Amino acid sequence: MGNASLTLEGLGCLRGGRIVFSGIDLALGPGEAALVSGPNGSGKTSLLRTIARLLPVFSGSLRTEGAIAFAGDT
């Protein structure tokens, strides 16, 4: 399974001049998972795209160890 890990501290995202989310804290170690849910437009995809480094981090920090992949609809 590997040694992948993910740590978010105060993570925030800005899109189209608006803060989509801020203050997200999360720590996942090898083999751990998290469920992201919420209504349309709440920032779920933006969060996942930020973690995959497809969007820039606006605030806070994002640390990864090991491989991170994003497979989403376009």
Side-chain angles (χ1 to χ4, degrees):
M1 191 176 289
N3 293 323
S5 66
L6 170 67
T7 305
L8 312 177
E9 293 177 345
L11 190 69
C13 175
L14 180 72
R15 292 195 74 181
R18 139 180 126 84
I19 295 175
V20 179
F21 59 81
S22 63
I24 303 291
D25 295 319
L26 175 70
L28 295 174
E32 295 183 317
L35 173 67
V36 179
S37 65
N40 286 347
S42 63
K44 300 177 302 293
T45 300
S46 293
L47 172 62
L48 297 175
R49 291 177 62 83
T50 301
I51 291 169
R53 301 187 191 276
L54 299 172
L55 291 176
V57 171
F58 174 69
S59 61
S61 66
L62 162 64
R63 289 188 310 277
T64 59
E65 185 175 312
I68 298 292
F70 175 73
D73 53 349
T74 56

